[in-house]
Amino acid sequence: LGSTAASTFLSTARTAVSAPSTVRLVLIGKEEQTQTMNTDTVFSISRDSGTTFSAITMTQSGNYNSSGVKIYTGTVDVSGQPSGTSIVLKQTTSTAKGFTLHGYSLLYK
């Protein structure tokens, strides 16, 4: 077995029509090692092109399949960030705690 290095994933920026105050994240993913969501794997949102991030508290909303892939959801207030319309998702994982992101959706208002 190989080891899992700490990693950071940044999405391509999406442009909102106006500066959002809240962002909702819905994702499908799999914990590759036993871990604590929101500690070992953290998801964050930026509305200013990735300069300022706010962490989203993700909770498991259901199981996607029997192979350990789950559905997670969370909402975060980004109104305290510098105003902007360029939305970026960041995923950070700790050493030895891999998380495979299968897909996600961002909803903002």
Side-chain angles (χ1 to χ4, degrees):
L1 293 173
S3 63
T4 302
S7 62
T8 300
F9 160 81
L10 291 171
S11 72
T12 302
R14 299 174 184 215
T15 304
V17 174
S18 60
S21 59
T22 59
V23 177
R24 180 162 176 80
L25 172 62
V26 178
L27 67 86
I28 298 171
K30 181 179 180 185
E31 298 174 357
E32 298 301 338
Q33 290 81 23
T34 300
Q35 59 182 274
T36 303
M37 181 60 73
N38 304 309
T39 300
D40 297 316
T41 297
V42 177
F43 291 91
S44 304
I45 293 292
S46 171
R47 70 175 185 178
D48 63 356
S49 299
T51 302
T52 309
F53 282 93
S54 299
I56 302 175
T57 300
M58 299 301 292
T59 55
Q60 183 183 340
S61 297
N63 294 315
Y64 184 74
N65 64 27
S66 60
S67 298
V69 179
K70 300 173 184 173
I71 302 165
Y72 298 89
T73 58
T75 302
V76 66
D77 180 346
V78 294
S79 62
Q81 293 184 10
S83 188
T85 58
S86 184
I87 314 302
V88 176
L89 169 66
K90 178 169 76 170
Q91 172 190 335
T92 307
T93 20
S94 327
T95 302
K97 301 290 183 175
F99 185 92
T100 301
L101 180 61
H102 290 275
Y104 68 94
S105 179
L106 293 170
L107 301 97
Y108 34 87
K109 63 176 184 169

